[in-house]
Amino acid sequence: MGERTDSGRVEVSEAGVSWWVGERPGRWARGRVTAGLALLTALLLAFPRVVPDRPGHLGSLLEAFLPWLGLAVVPLLALALLRRSATALLSLLLPAVAWAYAFGGLLLAAPEPSGRVLVVVQHNVSDVNTDPAGTARTLAEAEPDLIALEELVPAALPAYEKALAPAFRFHEVGGTVGIWSKHPLSGTRAVDIKPGGIAEGWSRGLRTVVHTPYGEVAAYVVHLPSVRLGTSGYASSWRDESAHLLGRAVAAETVAKVIVLGDLNGTVDDRGLSPLTSQLNASERGFAFSFPASFPLARIDQVLARSATVGRMRTLPATGSDHLPVTARVALR
């Protein structure tokens, strides 16, 4: 099969192709840079908060797209093969295991919750949606108990009301957010989540009590400020301030069972949302990337709950919005 050369290497020839394999010490010495990058990737996947949030909210930016960091294994694998490095190849197990630990559960099958269940739909319908009636029909086809909508504009509101009225007898709208329900609503009020730097008239928070067959549930419909990526970094200060205000409102909520539905302009891994997400349960099954609708990269449309379990998240068919609708079954405790 081959013969030993003076250099101590073995030349293996087959069909005119030579594959040079160095001595054992050389195999382990090569690929240290690739192995180092694999270790760094694993560290960031397992402990993203080692990245500081200042300057430029870089920590939040990493967390917003954290599942995609696992794709770094692909070029690292190519480098390891190019270098024919056993060290580099073995090191790739580290980011693979870290990714599986952090996100593998989202891929697993799980029984849908049963019993005291509410089906909910969350959708940022877009203020430039040219087919509000069609959008409403798509959402209603999921047969939810609750539908939460954001970016409701006065011109489109009658179309949503007309299309949803047959199945949803109760609804409330405040500012640019609204909720449609099969169950009676009461105690509806605005929730002040406006950051200090935004002008008056900005209203994106609503709270109401849903009288379900399983008892009262406080439902919050919210739309946190947008984030932007620019030369100064990841601009999320307004979003973070709004999340802090919402977290304070939820902490003060006297109804035991709470569901928060909304466009949070961030993922549940984003530390900027921790004043809210630290109090609530998120789904542990399903990626349900919702934005942008043309090529979904992140789930920024969320269903969170207290004294309840959020089942598998999934997306619904595209509408006239730049977001995809998301839905989940919420099992009340």
Side-chain angles (χ1 to χ4, degrees):
M1 291 295 294
E3 84 183 342
R4 184 171 296 279
T5 67
D6 293 339
S7 64
R9 292 179 295 186
V10 177
E11 181 182 356
V12 182
S13 299
E14 187 172 341
V17 178
S18 295
W19 182 268
W20 291 88
V21 181
E23 293 180 341
R24 184 171 296 276
R27 290 203 304 272
W28 293 100
R30 288 196 300 266
R32 289 176 178 174
V33 172
T34 304
L37 292 173
L39 177 60
L40 176 61
T41 301
L43 178 67
L44 293 176
L45 282 166
F47 307 103
R49 297 205 175 190
V50 300
V51 178
D53 213 33
R54 295 281 193 256
H57 298 285
L58 296 180
S60 283
L61 178 60
L62 170 66
E63 290 156 347
F65 301 101
L66 194 59
W68 297 99
L69 185 59
L71 292 178
V73 170
V74 176
L76 291 177
L77 175 61
L79 286 173
L81 294 174
L82 182 65
R83 294 288 292 156
R84 304 172 193 164
S85 168
T87 300
L89 282 171
L90 287 175
S91 71
L92 294 179
L93 290 173
L94 295 173
V97 169
W99 190 94
Y101 178 78
F103 302 109
L106 295 173
L107 298 173
L108 298 177
E112 290 291 341
S114 59
R116 299 153 57 90
V117 170
L118 294 177
V119 179
V120 301
V121 165
Q122 149 60 28
H123 192 29
N124 178 328
V125 295
S126 175
D127 55 4
V128 293
N129 191 327
T130 58
D131 185 19
T135 297
R137 287 192 295 270
T138 296
L139 305 181
E141 286 170 1
E143 299 184 346
D145 295 278
L146 302 175
I147 296 177
L149 303 182
E150 299 82 49
E151 293 200 10
L152 289 170
V153 294
L157 182 57
Y160 289 109
E161 291 175 328
K162 180 179 180 180
L164 294 174
F168 301 90
R169 294 175 53 201
F170 312 97
H171 82 279
E172 296 284 353
V173 175
T176 58
V177 301
I179 185 169
W180 275 256
S181 172
K182 290 182 177 179
H183 311 296
L185 304 174
S186 69
T188 304
R189 56 177 171 79
V191 179
D192 184 9
I193 58 171
K194 183 180 75 66
I198 295 182
E200 294 298 326
W202 189 94
S203 179
R204 293 186 180 184
L206 177 152
R207 177 264 190 195
T208 193
V209 175
V210 186
H211 297 271
T212 79
Y214 320 114
E216 294 183 347
V217 177
Y220 287 73
V221 183
V222 295
H223 184 189
L224 303 193
S226 299
V227 296
R228 295 288 184 268
L229 182 60
T231 56
S232 60
Y234 191 59
S236 64
S237 296
W238 279 353
R239 191 277 314 269
D240 296 350
E241 183 180 348
S242 191
H244 175 77
L245 294 171
L246 179 57
R248 192 166 63 186
V250 169
E253 177 57 61
T254 57
V255 176
K257 299 178 180 63
V258 174
I259 298 177
V260 175
L261 305 154
D263 175 0
L264 303 188
N265 271 304
T267 69
V268 293
D269 299 305
D270 191 327
R271 71 190 71 179
L273 299 181
S274 59
L276 177 66
T277 54
S278 62
Q279 306 180 54
L280 302 169
N281 302 311
S283 173
E284 296 182 354
R285 295 291 185 269
F287 281 99
F289 292 153
S290 63
F291 183 83
S294 57
F295 190 83
L297 294 172
R299 187 178 78 224
I300 63 175
D301 296 273
Q302 306 293 353
V303 177
L304 306 171
R306 185 177 78 190
S307 297
T309 301
V310 182
R312 173 176 289 276
M313 294 278 289
R314 65 183 180 88
T315 56
L316 297 176
T319 67
S321 172
D322 55 345
H323 292 241
L324 293 177
V326 298
T327 184
R329 293 167 61 87
V330 180
L332 304 177
R333 297 173 187 169

